[in-house]
């Protein structure tokens, strides 16, 4: 429970600044929310029922893998494997949780015209634009950076396989820059996966 509580606090710390930036960058959005009423209620419901659960669950997995990777004996497998596992799980959870929550929202709140089929159809188009920060799903994606960076930096520093990537950057910032590059690669993979699903 303590671990879960810490994940929740870190998730809120990662979510709130990105959410504030999204509101400020969306023309007219801040003023619409300031007026209160239905717009504010729908926004808060979306964040609390969709955004926060997704961010917390993805961050939980990221922090869990980070803790697991730190317990590796010195002669065990290359830590880069944890990055690969993390990216795979992030993509799966991000898609799966959005799909589940959209369907539940259609049932409970009448979102997407109350249609489960419509809810599922909009998942891929929505997530295809999230890496570009064009919708609120982008907020949730970048809010999970808070759990990716500790894992990626730690693994990159100890990985012999990723050493050539680290050497591409100046020594002081090498591991952090490599970690950000890996996260960006994951975001590109999310966009590509969403695009492939849209073409099915």
């Amino acid at each position: 429970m303590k671990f879960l509580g810490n994940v929740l606090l870190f998730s809120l710390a990662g979510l709130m600044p990105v959410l504030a930036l999204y509101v400020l960058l969306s023309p007219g959005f801040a003023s619409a929310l300031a007026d209160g009423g239905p717009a504010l209620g729908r926004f808060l419901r979306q964040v609390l029922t969709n955004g926060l659960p997704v961010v917390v669950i993805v961050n939980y997995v990221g922090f869990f893998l980070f803790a697991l990777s730190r317990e590796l004996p010195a002669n065990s497998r290359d830590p880069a494997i944890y990055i690969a596992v993390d990216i795979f799980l992030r993509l799966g959870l991000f898609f799966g949780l959005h799909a589940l929550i959209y369907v539940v929202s259609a049932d409970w709140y009448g979102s997407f015209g109350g249609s489960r089929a419509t809810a599922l159809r909009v998942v891929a188009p929505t997530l295809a634009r999230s890496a570009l920060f064009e919708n609120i799903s982008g907020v949730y994606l970048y809010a999970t950076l808070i759990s990716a960076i500790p894992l990626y930096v730690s693994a990159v520093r100890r990985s012999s396989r990723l050493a050539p990537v680290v050497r591409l950057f100046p020594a002081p910032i090498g591991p952090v820059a490599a970690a950000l590059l890996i996260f960006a690669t994951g975001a590109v993979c999310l966009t590509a996966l969403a695009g492939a699903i849209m073409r099915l």
Side-chain angles (χ1 to χ4, degrees), residues 88-168:
F88 177 79
L89 291 177
R90 274 173 195 270
L91 293 178
L93 286 171
F94 210 70
F95 258 97
L97 290 171
H98 271 84
L100 175 62
I101 292 169
Y102 281 15
V103 167
V104 171
S105 295
D107 283 344
W108 289 5
Y109 306 116
S111 303
F112 312 104
S115 169
R116 292 181 176 183
T118 301
L120 289 174
R121 279 197 298 269
V122 303
V123 173
T126 299
L127 299 189
R129 311 304 296 175
S130 60
L132 300 176
F133 209 57
E134 292 186 2
N135 55 48
I136 199 167
S137 291
V139 173
Y140 310 148
L141 174 64
Y142 290 106
T144 64
L145 186 63
I146 199 167
S147 65
I149 292 302
L151 171 62
Y152 295 176
V153 169
S154 173
V156 162
R157 282 176 173 160
R158 294 177 293 129
S159 172
S160 57
R161 294 180 181 177
L162 295 176
V165 178
V166 177
R167 287 195 292 268
L168 294 175

